[in-house]
Amino acid sequence: MSRCVSVLLVLVLVARLSSAQQVNNRAELKEVEKVLEELKAERRAMSDRLQAAERELKRVRDTPKVAFAVSLGGNGVVKTTTGSMDLIYKEVLTNVGGAYSDATGEFTAPIRGVYYVRFTANAPTNFPMSAVLYKNGAEVQLIAHEQPSGEGSDTASNGAALLLQAGDKLKMMLWHNTHIWDNSNHHSTFSGFLLFPLVDEPPTEFDAEAELKALQASLKQVQTDNLEVKERLESAERELKATRDVPKVAFAVSLGGNGLQEATTGRKTLIYKDVMTNIGQAYSSETGEFTAPIRGVYYVRFTANAPTNFPMSAVLYKNGAEVQLIAHEQPSGEGSDTASNGAALLLQAGDKLKMMLWHNTHIWDNSNHHSTFSGFLLFPL
């Protein structure tokens, strides 16, 4: 009856452990799914930002470069006493974008936007001076005007940032009974440039066929994305399983006893009887051997203690033949000595490590664990 109860308790414990493992698996699965959803959301957000940036970049690229600077030129006074007249600025200093015409004296706005426009007029002060900016041949935008003031000359300027529609025309005019003067040094000038465009988004009409094609493309993309997510999820689960399947391996043992072990007729295997740790059961206290359960890198170290009146040794062998590490001390008089060694070793599954005492050497230990042998799995390969 007692045996049946024990068996039932073991079964209950195994079931609970299995249930706990399943809970852990589901928790890790949910965590992976959460991360994948966050990545998808981040990708969608980046796609939206990319599309907006590309639209804005296209708008910037499509914005024409517009700047002009012109001068009346000539060598003397331009005067009208029979009505207003157009001023034709013949000397072109700058005309990026080709929006100014030196044949008509007009600047034509290529796109809707805000333009900065300015002009300067110079003339003798013995007669009225003017320079008037018109938009579309009718609206006065800016003016520079000076009344006579005796002998000498005068300069007047004006300028403003103007909102122009595509196709709006600007030109300078000289009013009736006024004059203006210039020469090759460009005293009387007219210039402007585009500050920034103001382009309204064109209205879009609903196109059912195009919308259907876009939705079909989106559906295909979602299906592709889901397949990618599934593959990534399966890969993550496989990696998680591989991580869980890695055995936990660690051991720490001591020679124990209460005194010397000595080899005077050849070398001898050291059997470390006092087992402090043996997770994974890879160390045998019967043979003194550690057997690597899987291929991987293991950290192994040992410490040897002995009186100094006789040579001391502790030698690590792999598969009974290859010396891996050694601790060795020659006699040095009265007292005792301790020596250690250790290294990270690549072991294949089934490789065996054991410690040996060389011929004509000794080692010492007691219950305080002076002479030890230990190791653990760092990572599998």
Side-chain angles (χ1 to χ4, degrees):
M1 181 67 178
S2 175
R3 183 177 179 184
C4 291
V5 172
S6 297
V7 170
L8 286 173
L9 287 174
V10 169
L11 291 174
V12 169
L13 180 59
V14 169
R16 286 182 178 177
L17 289 173
S18 177
S19 176
Q21 183 65 41
Q22 290 176 1
V23 169
N24 289 338
N25 290 349
R26 283 195 292 270
E28 290 180 7
L29 180 59
K30 287 181 178 179
E31 186 64 27
V32 172
E33 290 174 339
K34 179 183 176 183
V35 171
L36 289 174
E37 287 302 318
E38 289 174 351
L39 289 174
K40 288 173 66 178
E42 183 180 7
R43 183 189 61 203
R44 287 193 296 270
M46 287 192 295
S47 295
D48 292 343
R49 288 171 58 190
L50 176 60
Q51 290 173 6
E54 288 177 337
R55 285 195 301 269
E56 187 63 24
L57 185 59
K58 182 178 185 302
R59 180 176 296 177
V60 170
R61 287 173 179 158
D62 291 346
T63 299
K65 303 294 187 293
V66 182
F68 75 98
V70 292
S71 168
L72 276 176
N75 189 17
V77 170
V78 177
K79 187 174 182 180
T80 175
T81 57
T82 57
S84 299
M85 68 177 288
D86 291 344
L87 291 172
I88 311 296
Y89 292 75
K90 289 292 186 181
E91 294 201 18
V92 178
L93 285 67
T94 304
N95 194 17
V96 177
Y100 174 78
S101 169
D102 60 359
T104 64
E106 288 181 319
F107 167 77
T108 304
I111 61 170
R112 181 174 186 266
V114 175
Y115 297 77
Y116 183 74
V117 183
R118 69 163 291 122
F119 54 89
T120 297
N122 181 276
T125 56
N126 61 353
F127 196 74
M129 176 182 70
S130 76
V132 187
L133 178 66
Y134 278 80
K135 183 173 80 171
N136 298 327
E139 300 175 50
V140 174
Q141 302 294 296
L142 300 167
I143 187 171
H145 189 274
E146 294 288 339
Q147 292 296 334
S149 59
E151 296 298 323
S153 65
D154 205 356
T155 299
S157 296
N158 210 338
L162 302 176
L163 172 59
L164 302 179
Q165 305 299 322
D168 278 352
K169 296 179 182 295
L170 299 178
K171 69 177 178 180
M172 298 297 301
M173 295 193 72
L174 190 63
W175 273 356
H176 174 65
N177 275 340
T178 63
H179 69 175
I180 191 170
W181 179 89
D182 197 14
N183 66 11
S184 59
N185 291 326
H186 314 307
H187 293 263
S188 294
T189 58
F190 175 33
S191 63
F193 49 85
L194 175 64
L195 281 175
F196 49 83
L198 289 171
V199 181
D200 294 327
E201 292 288 345
T204 57
E205 296 181 1
F206 180 74
D207 187 337
E209 185 177 353
E211 188 71 16
L212 177 59
K213 287 182 179 179
L215 287 174
Q216 289 172 336
S218 297
L219 178 60
K220 186 176 180 180
Q221 184 62 48
V222 169
Q223 290 171 336
T224 301
D225 291 345
N226 286 350
L227 181 60
E228 180 185 349
V229 169
K230 181 182 178 183
E231 290 173 351
R232 290 170 62 186
L233 180 58
E234 289 173 350
S235 175
E237 288 177 332
R238 284 195 299 271
E239 189 170 346
L240 281 172
K241 183 178 184 301
T243 301
R244 295 191 199 102
D245 290 345
V246 173
K248 305 294 188 293
V249 182
F251 75 99
V253 293
S254 168
L255 277 177
N258 189 17
L260 284 172
Q261 293 194 40
E262 194 170 50
T264 55
T265 58
R267 64 187 185 185
K268 64 179 285 189
T269 300
L270 292 171
I271 310 294
Y272 292 76
K273 290 292 188 181
D274 283 3
V275 178
M276 296 174 280
T277 304
N278 195 16
I279 296 171
Q281 304 301 313
Y283 174 77
S284 168
S285 59
E286 297 297 321
T287 64
E289 288 182 320
F290 167 78
T291 304
I294 61 171
R295 183 174 186 267
V297 175
Y298 295 77
Y299 183 74
V300 182
R301 68 164 292 123
F302 54 87
T303 298
N305 180 278
T308 56
N309 61 349
F310 196 73
M312 173 183 74
S313 75
V315 187
L316 177 67
Y317 278 80
K318 183 173 79 171
N319 298 327
E322 300 175 52
V323 173
Q324 303 294 295
L325 302 166
I326 187 171
H328 187 273
E329 294 287 339
Q330 292 295 336
S332 59
E334 298 297 323
S336 64
D337 205 354
T338 299
S340 295
N341 211 337
L345 301 177
L346 171 59
L347 301 180
Q348 306 297 325
D351 277 350
K352 295 180 182 295
L353 298 178
K354 67 177 178 179
M355 298 297 302
M356 297 197 74
L357 190 64
W358 272 358
H359 174 65
N360 276 340
T361 63
H362 66 178
I363 192 170
W364 180 88
D365 197 15
N366 65 10
S367 59
N368 291 327
H369 313 307
H370 294 263
S371 294
T372 58
F373 176 32
S374 63
F376 49 85
L377 174 64
L378 279 175
F379 48 84
L381 288 171

